[in-house]
Amino acid sequence: MDITVFVQNFLNGLSIGTVYAIFALGYTIVFSILGIINFSHGAIFTLGAYFTYFLIGGLNNGSGILANAGLPFGLPFVLAILVGSLMAGFCGVLIERLAFKPLRTRGADPLLALVSSLGVALVIVNLVQYLIGAEILSFPSNVFGEFVNQNPSINFNFVDPSRPIPIRTVQIIIFAVSLVILVLLAYLINRTKFGKALRAVAENPITASLLGVSVDRYIFLTFLLSGFLGGLAGTLVGTSFSISGPYFGVTYGLKGLAVIVLGGLGDIPGAVLGGLVIGLAEAFVPGDFSAYKEAVAFALLFIILLVRPQGLLGRRLIQKV
Amino acid sequence: MFESFFNQYGFLMVYMVLQATLALSLYLPLTAGQLSLASPGFFALGGYIAAVMSTTVWATNGMFPIPYLLLEMLLGGLASGLLAVVVGVPALRLRGIYLALATIAFVEILRVVSLNLTITGGAVGIFGIPQPFNSSLEYMWVALPLLIACVIFTARLEKSRIGRAFVAIREDELAADAMGVNPTYHKVLAFVIGAMIAGMVGAITAHFLNTWNARQGTFDASINILAFVLIGGSRMTLGPVVGGMLLTALPEILRPVGDVRLIVNGFLLTLGAVLLPQGLISPRVFKRKKVDV
Amino acid sequence: MKPVTRKIAIAFGILAATTFVVAEKVATPIAIGVSVAQTSNTALLGREQVIGAQIAESFFNSRGGVNGTPFKLFFEDTGGDEAGAINAFQTQINKNNVVAIVGPTLSQQAFAADKIADRAKVPVLGPSNTAKGIPQIGDFIARVSSPVSIVAPNSVRAALKINPEIKKVAVFYAQNDAFSTSETGTFQETAKAQGLEITTVQRFQTTDSDFTSQVSAGLATKPELVIVSGLAADGGNLIKQLRLAGYKGLIIGGNGLNTANMFPVCQQYCDGVLIAQAYSPTAAGSLNAAFRTVYKNTYKKEPPQFTAQAFAAVQVIVEALRRVDKAAKVSGAELADVRVALNDAILAGTYNTPLGTISFDKEGEVNQKLFYVAQIKMNPDNKTGSFVYLK
Amino acid sequence: MTATDFSNIETSSHTTSSILSVKNATRRFGGLIAVNEVSFEVTPGEIFGLIGPNGAGKTTMFNLLSGLTPPSSGAISFEGRCLIGLPPYKIAELGVARTFQNIRLFGNLSALENVKIAQHTHTKAGVLSGVFGAGRAREEEPRVLAKATELLKLVGLDDLAGEQAKNFSYGDQRRLEIARALALEPKLLLLDEPAAGMNPTEKQGLSDFIRMVRDKFSLTIVLIEHHVPLVMGLCDRIAVLNFGQLIALGNPAVVAGDPAVIEAYLGGD
């Protein structure tokens, strides 16, 4: 492969891969604590993008019942993205209280969480459609500031000066933001009391509660963090590509599942690795096979599961006899 | 009044029956403890077989002969069963949610492949599929017997030696293994029978919808069918049947609600899961009567 | 025979014996059905159609309806799938007792649902079904949406007029969209017929947003013309990413991109894109002017093609109804008779719609006189723009 | 004296008449060696005890015998047939049945169903035969029911045949597990702590019961047990494991006097 094309594909893969990773982390921490898959995580992704869009003062150009509505104020983008993601986080908590907690207290089959969160996802998507509309919403091109607006792509010359590699500036920003988030998250989980407790709860909720960790409080915080990450990923993708409507998060929701299972369910480094692997694999699909790009994540998932049934970094389940 | 009801809801009633049968295809592997979401893949395959056969090999101008429809169901079932063996033997080593995701991967791969083949008609799919009946309702002649046959088959299987082996694996795979039950064989068997049902339902549905395309076998369908089984009840044959019928009818029942009907639909789904953790139909409902007496 | 089986058999026997006994009458106001995708991920298109139909409803009712009798539109959501379309059609036919149906949104849905209406002898007018074979579903099926094979080639010729040096073409299309896959076939045939070399065919999905791999692979073949068949969100993103990756040549957008919804997606990068149109907001004609004004007053932008087509579909039914009504009063007549007469009237007429003058052949295929090629001109705000009609 | 020396003695004296032969069986879990070079033989008709402090590797040994865990090295043969590499259900088919230390009944199923399932290897009915109640199933089902009922009666649970296993008392669950294992019609029965959770009366009854079962079904029995008096009174021979190694093997009197055994029990637990 031509080195220029290779470098370009590699950078593209990293950029989308880190977003996959952030999104998938939201899935995986919930799984690590409760052993359930939250199907509404894709809808949270959508919500995060919508929240941020309206918080920066964006108007609804959709045809829902809130057509042409908007907030009377506009926050600076950095603040809006934080508040918007946090609001997504609280939606995650709300979902936990309404759809998961009742199941947990009844000791229901964990599979039911799939159905109850599916219902929630259906509500969110159709509520957005009803209130906002099915139309596409776009962030203004100067949302990352004037520099990005004036220089929408940057040419890199580090391989062959005669053939510069154009990379979208937004992609570079997203990559940088994602890296910062991942580092912060690594710190949070490995170094803080919250992180240690989180891991303890993930390891064994019963022991953790005996050790004095308030399991309920950590479940609350986990869903807050999960929703925050989902909403953040949604906003990042939204600024890069525009919000394509209420079904914006659905494809990411599905692909995120592939990411976490590929990496190993409930495994935090695994989600990052899975995101990067799938991002890169998609970027390196040869042009002639672009038809199959959509299937790459799943083909990879299928093959890797056959070789390593517990995913790349997952621990093998040892059944105690 | 009477026949206008059947004119309006004839399609829906047959569709409910077909979807209920499809729910059994997911229920069967679940009786052996295997959460497989592969049903829509086999459903799509069966449909494609019927669509291709009836528009090319057996193309007719008038009514499509019913024996050919039955033959297509047989072919769809067999092809799905065969594919299920190929996919099931490696995939069923996976457990729980890993298996679920691997089967979703299978459905997605099949979908993308069918988008890219000429024989499946790409994104447009296959249309103008010959009709064996004059109205939607008449499909009941095939759909209902298939459902009844599948219900009886499944219910009786559960009471038989093979069914006991399935349930033993669901309860405790390791103990079942130690009691002389070959887990792999029985898991694949349950998966294959489920796939065959899905393939047969697909073959009928292709004629019933008059068209077939890649959107028939998707992740969304996987999750819907799972909801059929869990809301209906995953411990008795009747559960998925009731769940499949009810959830298929729900968006239509809610039609008078207007614009917010899918919001209500989603809300009811969550409510159903939360309030009926055992599903609508559970063995406990039946047992309780016995204990009281 | 077990008792249960016998009961079922008896029920079927009764059913078979009692089809079509009661005759419904046409109500006042006259019921016309509109069944498009108001939910699901196809709703973006369906919403545009609902708006077009609603504008037509108030527009024509305020102009006397059907010779003085008002008509009423019944909206039944099809969702995005085939079964939903059939259920919606069944409700229109048997519960709302409509004289005709406008819908569904997708060609795949039409293949399923139109058959049902045809059997019930209810005329269907497809507002946006462009796939091959739609009018051939049955005698009662027609469409106002021109098949892609007619719309697409104009734009290739227009591109060559702008830049006769073009030799190499890269083609991109949304492979999960029925319209786009048919359209790209036509584009590719046209390009070959014009002596152009197709250097690459890249596929994507309408649900994608990241096209960097397709763009990289496509631009590696050094094309001088790029042809994109897709829908607003994906097509817009693709065009933006093509430009940001340094592509400077001409871009042709398929008919799916003929919507102002694309502008906020590709923003300033939409500028200069050639679009094959079945509807141009700037087209001449007093009716189009009136339609455009109503739309712009409410939605502050140019009406999209889907809206115009839905408007035209309702218009065709209303005008045909007027002719049927002149022969014999429609309101209160036998519903079944009106449906048959209406179908004949639809196919017989010529209609001066916002799409231009249209008529139908005896199969129900639309004959549209005018097609347009427009070039996108973006406004300085980068969120709005216009389609500038190319002569 | 080392474990290896024991095995040498054993192999030379029991080669021809043994039903079960374990040679240098070893199982590692990561760095931990759960079973280390253990060798012993069991003669037909024998009641063979396997004892040792907690964590000595007894249950791991059972898992090696029943195929649930493959040995890292070593050889295990049953009636002269090598068991290495065979999946558990194959070993069960050959005639090795077991119970579990942490009872693994099919909790949601009735006692009757639990026992029926274990007759799987002795029935052949396929899918169609089972569904139509014809062919093999027609002949097998009454036989399966009769046998299950008989076994439940044997363990005194026939009154509770229709009850869900998870609702049983601890002792009843142990009995049901034995009935289920017997339904396999085994030649070798592995009992993992059958007396755990039983009261003294029940324990006394258990000894008689195990002997009765052995005689009635001509079984060979290997059992793990903590309750020393029970083992001493019941077993023909005893093997003692400590930290995965075989430290003593012989008849109860000999083993009880072995200094290594006394050391293991006093020093260990």
Side-chain angles (χ1 to χ4, degrees):
Chain A
M1 186 188 280
D2 182 287
I3 183 76
T4 320
V5 176
F6 177 86
V7 171
Q8 188 159 27
N9 286 344
F10 188 73
L11 294 176
N12 289 337
L14 277 188
S15 171
I16 191 71
T18 43
V19 176
Y20 285 163
I22 292 186
F23 176 69
L25 276 171
Y27 260 131
T28 222
I29 56 173
V30 166
F31 185 87
S32 72
I33 295 237
L34 293 179
I36 56 171
I37 297 237
N38 177 7
F39 263 140
S40 62
H41 196 52
I44 296 274
F45 175 96
T46 310
L47 281 181
Y50 274 92
F51 286 146
T52 311
Y53 176 84
F54 284 107
L55 283 171
I56 60 166
L59 282 181
N60 179 19
N61 59 9
S63 60
I65 60 166
L66 297 180
N68 298 315
L71 295 175
F73 59 90
L75 298 179
F77 181 64
V78 178
L79 197 58
I81 196 171
L82 288 176
V83 176
S85 305
L86 207 59
M87 284 166 71
F90 278 105
C91 289
V93 171
L94 195 67
I95 292 168
E96 200 282 316
R97 290 290 131 103
L98 295 179
F100 296 140
K101 196 172 180 189
L103 289 177
R104 204 163 56 242
T105 49
R106 282 157 192 257
D109 188 339
L111 278 185
L112 270 173
L114 295 177
V115 177
S116 67
S117 58
L118 168 73
V120 171
L122 205 60
V123 170
I124 294 176
V125 165
N126 285 289
L127 200 63
V128 169
Q129 181 141 305
Y130 182 66
L131 296 176
I132 313 293
E135 281 76 3
I136 304 161
L137 300 182
S138 287
F139 287 91
S141 53
N142 62 355
V143 74
F144 285 110
E146 272 313 305
F147 174 79
V148 179
N149 195 18
Q150 299 303 322
N151 301 281
S153 69
I154 297 174
N155 285 325
F156 287 88
N157 296 329
F158 44 68
V159 183
D160 177 358
S162 66
R163 291 164 63 203
I165 305 167
I167 303 289
R168 296 173 57 213
T169 320
V170 174
Q171 243 170 328
I172 298 168
I173 293 175
I174 288 177
F175 180 58
V177 172
S178 305
L179 278 188
V180 170
I181 295 291
L182 289 178
V183 169
L184 284 178
L185 213 61
Y187 176 81
L188 183 76
I189 283 162
N190 291 316
R191 297 294 154 112
T192 64
K193 188 162 163 271
F194 167 72
K196 283 173 188 161
L198 201 72
R199 284 185 296 160
V201 178
E203 212 59 52
N204 188 344
I206 297 162
T207 329
S209 67
L210 291 178
L211 291 172
V213 172
S214 159
V215 177
D216 239 25
R217 201 172 119 235
Y218 280 92
I219 289 175
F220 172 89
L221 288 173
T222 303
F223 273 88
L224 188 66
L225 181 62
S226 161
F228 180 85
L229 292 171
L232 185 74
T235 307
L236 290 177
V237 173
T239 51
S240 177
F241 306 120
S242 78
I243 307 168
S244 62
Y247 289 82
F248 179 48
V250 170
T251 21
Y252 286 86
L254 185 54
K255 211 166 275 175
L257 284 179
V259 168
I260 54 167
V261 175
L262 188 74
L265 272 171
D267 190 87
I268 288 167
V272 178
L273 180 68
L276 291 177
V277 166
I278 288 183
L280 285 170
E282 287 184 344
F284 279 100
V285 175
D288 293 341
F289 295 94
S290 60
Y292 290 92
K293 185 186 162 202
E294 194 69 9
V296 163
F298 293 99
L300 208 59
L301 175 70
F302 200 79
I303 293 163
I304 286 186
L305 281 184
L306 297 189
V307 183
R308 273 185 73 83
Q310 71 275 33
L312 288 173
L313 297 185
R315 273 164 298 176
R316 184 180 284 280
L317 294 168
I318 297 170
Q319 278 209 312
K320 193 155 164 54
V321 183
Chain B
M1 189 64 210
F2 184 66
E3 95 288 334
S4 100
F5 176 83
F6 280 105
N7 279 337
Q8 185 181 347
Y9 293 111
F11 173 83
L12 182 62
M13 288 189 295
V14 176
Y15 197 55
M16 285 161 64
V17 168
L18 289 173
Q19 294 286 298
T21 319
L22 197 52
L24 284 176
S25 79
L26 191 146
Y27 169 77
L28 257 161
L30 208 56
T31 58
Q34 306 307 304
L35 177 59
S36 154
L37 300 179
S39 292
F42 299 115
F43 174 70
L45 177 67
Y48 273 123
I49 287 173
V52 170
M53 294 304 279
S54 62
T55 51
T56 56
V57 184
W58 296 324
T60 49
N61 282 324
M63 292 292 269
F64 189 70
I66 293 171
Y68 282 2
L69 173 66
L70 299 178
L71 200 57
E72 283 168 4
M73 287 166 59
L74 188 71
L75 275 176
L78 288 178
S80 297
L82 213 62
L83 183 61
V85 175
V86 176
V87 175
V89 170
L92 287 162
R93 296 184 310 139
L94 301 170
R95 285 167 201 280
I97 212 86
Y98 284 95
L99 173 64
L101 265 295
T103 51
I104 286 177
F106 161 75
V107 171
E108 274 293 299
I109 292 168
L110 220 57
R111 180 182 74 86
V112 175
V113 168
S114 67
L115 273 177
N116 282 289
L117 295 181
T118 328
I119 193 169
T120 54
V124 179
I126 296 167
F127 54 88
I129 299 174
Q131 295 298 303
F133 300 108
N134 276 318
S135 74
S136 296
L137 187 60
E138 286 174 60
Y139 273 90
M140 207 59 113
W141 288 114
V142 187
L144 196 61
L146 180 67
L147 174 66
I148 293 170
C150 287
V151 167
I152 293 173
F153 179 93
T154 312
R156 288 198 55 103
L157 185 66
E158 283 185 279
K159 297 265 171 282
S160 78
R161 169 177 176 268
I162 300 287
R164 282 195 297 267
F166 288 175
V167 179
I169 295 167
R170 181 187 72 199
E171 288 288 311
D172 187 336
E173 181 173 338
L174 215 136
D177 202 348
M179 293 306 128
V181 174
N182 178 347
T184 311
Y185 172 80
H186 289 94
K187 287 196 283 191
V188 173
L189 184 63
F191 184 69
V192 168
I193 298 173
M196 291 175 80
I197 293 178
M200 288 193 284
V201 178
I204 303 178
T205 311
H207 285 275
F208 183 57
L209 291 180
N210 190 40
T211 182
W212 204 248
N213 52 53
R215 299 163 348 122
Q216 303 308 323
T218 60
F219 167 68
D220 292 357
S222 294
I223 303 305
N224 279 336
I225 301 171
L226 178 65
F228 293 168
V229 175
L230 294 183
I231 292 287
S234 60
R235 289 294 163 120
M236 284 188 81
T237 314
L238 223 49
V241 173
V242 171
M245 290 195 171
L246 201 68
L247 293 189
T248 306
L250 193 58
E252 292 307 310
I253 295 169
L254 292 174
R255 207 172 258 291
V257 177
D259 288 346
V260 295
R261 71 181 172 125
L262 291 188
I263 303 175
V264 179
N265 195 357
F267 179 72
L268 289 177
L269 208 56
T270 305
L271 209 64
V274 169
L275 295 183
L276 299 162
Q278 302 289 322
L280 284 165
I281 311 279
S282 73
R284 204 175 285 173
V285 175
F286 290 83
K287 283 245 171 75
R288 198 173 293 144
K289 286 179 199 152
K290 255 191 243 165
V291 178
D292 287 348
V293 170
Chain C
M1 222 187 214
K2 281 183 183 173
V4 182
T5 341
R6 193 182 306 140
K7 269 182 203 159
I8 293 164
I10 291 169
F12 271 109
I14 294 169
L15 271 184
T18 58
T19 32
F20 293 105
V21 183
V22 180
E24 293 285 343
K25 303 268 195 265
V26 177
T28 312
I30 301 165
I32 297 172
V34 177
S35 273
V36 292
Q38 290 170 264
T39 57
S40 87
N41 55 4
T42 315
L44 180 59
L45 306 177
R47 282 296 303 163
E48 291 182 349
Q49 295 175 319
V50 167
I51 291 166
Q54 281 169 339
I55 293 175
E57 185 180 26
S58 57
F59 185 88
F60 290 108
N61 268 332
S62 70
R63 281 159 184 74
V66 180
N67 305 330
T69 314
F71 69 95
K72 182 176 187 308
L73 296 185
F74 284 81
F75 291 90
E76 295 292 349
D77 173 28
T78 61
D81 64 337
E82 285 70 15
I86 294 178
N87 280 320
F89 271 43
Q90 296 280 26
T91 307
Q92 298 283 23
I93 295 166
N94 300 297
K95 181 160 164 282
N96 300 344
N97 293 319
V98 299
V99 293
I101 300 171
V102 174
T105 304
L106 297 175
S107 293
Q108 293 108 316
Q109 292 179 306
F111 287 128
D114 287 359
K115 185 83 187 168
I116 302 291
D118 189 61
R119 273 181 179 161
K121 299 195 186 334
V122 178
V124 175
L125 213 43
S128 55
N129 315 134
T130 48
K132 200 179 79 183
I134 299 278
Q136 289 75 30
I137 293 170
D139 294 339
F140 284 79
I141 312 302
R143 61 175 163 195
V144 299
S145 44
S146 296
V148 283
S149 52
I150 300 174
V151 183
N154 292 335
S155 52
V156 178
R157 285 192 282 272
L160 284 170
K161 210 183 269 176
I162 296 172
N163 180 5
E165 302 300 308
I166 293 170
K167 288 278 173 295
K168 288 158 101 179
V169 188
V171 176
F172 294 74
Y173 76 95
Q175 60 162 339
N176 64 336
D177 179 52
F179 173 77
S180 301
T181 44
S182 317
E183 190 187 53
T184 196
T186 315
F187 269 129
Q188 290 176 38
E189 282 164 27
T190 312
K192 278 182 203 143
Q194 300 281 342
L196 304 177
E197 180 203 349
I198 295 169
T199 56
T200 179
V201 177
Q202 295 288 323
R203 300 166 181 86
F204 58 91
Q205 312 251 333
T206 51
T207 47
D208 284 351
S209 40
D210 180 32
F211 302 99
T212 33
S213 57
Q214 284 98 337
V215 166
S216 303
L219 295 188
T221 65
K222 305 252 177 292
E224 293 140 341
L225 174 67
V226 167
I227 302 178
V228 178
S229 293
L231 300 176
D234 45 303
N237 268 312
L238 176 56
I239 288 169
K240 177 173 161 188
Q241 288 167 37
L242 275 168
R243 289 299 186 209
L244 288 176
Y247 176 66
K248 301 270 189 290
L250 272 176
I251 298 177
I252 293 178
N255 196 227
L257 306 187
N258 185 24
T259 163
N261 283 327
M262 190 176 69
F263 296 158
V265 182
C266 50
Q267 301 174 336
Q268 64 265 43
Y269 309 105
C270 302
D271 211 68
V273 173
L274 296 173
I275 303 282
Q277 294 182 312
Y279 167 69
S280 166
T282 53
S286 60
L287 190 72
N288 183 43
F291 163 71
R292 188 184 175 199
T293 313
V294 174
Y295 186 89
K296 278 186 95 166
N297 285 345
T298 319
Y299 298 98
K300 316 286 179 236
K301 58 183 179 189
E302 294 289 354
Q305 177 180 315
F306 275 77
T307 306
Q309 286 173 328
F311 181 95
V314 174
Q315 179 190 351
V316 165
I317 291 172
V318 172
E319 290 185 4
L321 267 176
R322 285 176 183 162
R323 277 182 279 120
V324 175
D325 188 69
K326 271 190 189 130
K329 187 95 182 117
V330 164
S331 186
E334 294 288 328
L335 180 60
D337 298 343
V338 171
R339 284 168 172 174
V340 173
L342 178 59
N343 189 54
D344 295 339
I346 288 172
L347 296 183
T350 300
Y351 309 86
N352 188 8
T353 69
L355 308 174
T357 305
I358 60 171
S359 59
F360 301 91
D361 72 9
K362 63 177 190 305
E363 276 190 321
E365 185 63 275
V366 66
N367 294 315
Q368 187 173 348
K369 295 283 181 288
L370 287 172
F371 293 102
Y372 314 90
V373 179
Q375 193 159 25
I376 294 175
K377 179 91 191 81
M378 291 303 291
N379 298 334
D381 69 355
N382 285 336
K383 278 211 155 188
T384 58
S386 53
F387 294 99
V388 181
Y389 175 53
L390 290 183
K391 198 69 194 149
Chain D
M1 247 178 146
T2 69
T4 337
D5 294 330
F6 274 117
S7 64
N8 289 341
I9 299 162
E10 286 299 316
T11 26
S12 54
S13 60
H14 281 96
T15 5
T16 45
S17 60
S18 75
I19 184 166
L20 176 72
S21 153
V22 178
K23 279 191 194 124
N24 303 328
T26 301
R27 173 67 208 194
R28 293 182 203 89
F29 293 106
L32 180 87
I33 303 181
V35 173
N36 191 4
E37 299 274 327
V38 172
S39 303
F40 62 85
E41 310 227 343
V42 179
T43 46
E46 192 173 28
I47 297 180
F48 187 93
L50 200 55
I51 65 169
N54 279 330
K58 304 182 298 289
T59 293
T60 305
M61 191 66 234
F62 262 30
N63 291 346
L64 298 184
L65 295 179
S66 54
L68 296 179
T69 317
S72 308
S73 64
I76 299 169
S77 61
F78 173 70
E79 292 189 316
R81 187 165 169 187
C82 173
L83 298 185
I84 306 298
L86 289 186
Y89 73 91
K90 282 275 186 205
I91 294 174
E93 274 173 20
L94 291 178
V96 180
R98 71 170 288 176
T99 64
F100 295 88
Q101 183 188 351
N102 318 310
I103 304 172
R104 299 190 77 144
L105 287 164
F106 306 119
N108 287 310
L109 305 185
S110 70
L112 190 70
E113 286 169 310
N114 267 280
V115 184
K116 276 182 168 182
I117 285 166
Q119 296 180 60
H120 191 82
T121 59
H122 298 287
T123 45
K124 294 281 171 292
V127 172
L128 294 180
S129 159
V131 167
F132 293 110
R136 284 213 177 92
R138 198 190 184 87
E139 174 268 319
E140 286 171 4
E141 283 301 314
R143 181 156 61 84
V144 167
L145 178 65
K147 172 118 189 173
T149 318
E150 180 202 322
L151 285 171
L152 285 176
K153 194 169 258 171
L154 183 79
V155 297
L157 294 173
D158 46 334
D159 295 347
L160 301 170
E163 287 296 308
Q164 277 184 312
K166 65 180 176 193
N167 298 332
F168 281 27
S169 74
Y170 204 65
D172 284 351
Q173 291 198 0
R174 291 251 174 245
R175 270 191 279 273
L176 180 54
E177 260 209 327
I178 294 175
R180 186 177 69 170
L182 288 173
L184 267 169
E185 299 173 28
K187 294 169 198 150
L188 174 65
L189 180 61
L190 311 173
L191 299 174
D192 200 342
E193 299 198 24
M198 287 188 175
N199 61 38
T201 339
E202 284 179 320
K203 276 179 185 162
Q204 186 47 50
L206 185 68
S207 278
D208 300 338
F209 175 75
I210 290 174
R211 275 200 204 92
M212 182 272 285
V213 165
R214 191 251 321 249
D215 297 340
K216 185 172 161 78
F217 299 103
S218 325
L219 292 174
T220 308
I221 293 174
V222 177
L223 65 90
I224 295 173
E225 190 45 69
H226 269 304
H227 189 63
V228 175
L230 182 94
V231 180
M232 293 296 169
L234 177 62
C235 295
D236 301 315
R237 285 192 307 144
I238 293 171
V240 187
L241 288 179
N242 192 24
F243 293 113
Q245 297 204 323
L246 186 67
I247 56 167
L249 178 68
N251 65 49
V254 173
V255 168
D258 192 305
V261 175
I262 295 162
E263 165 68 22
Y265 270 86
L266 293 180
D269 210 56

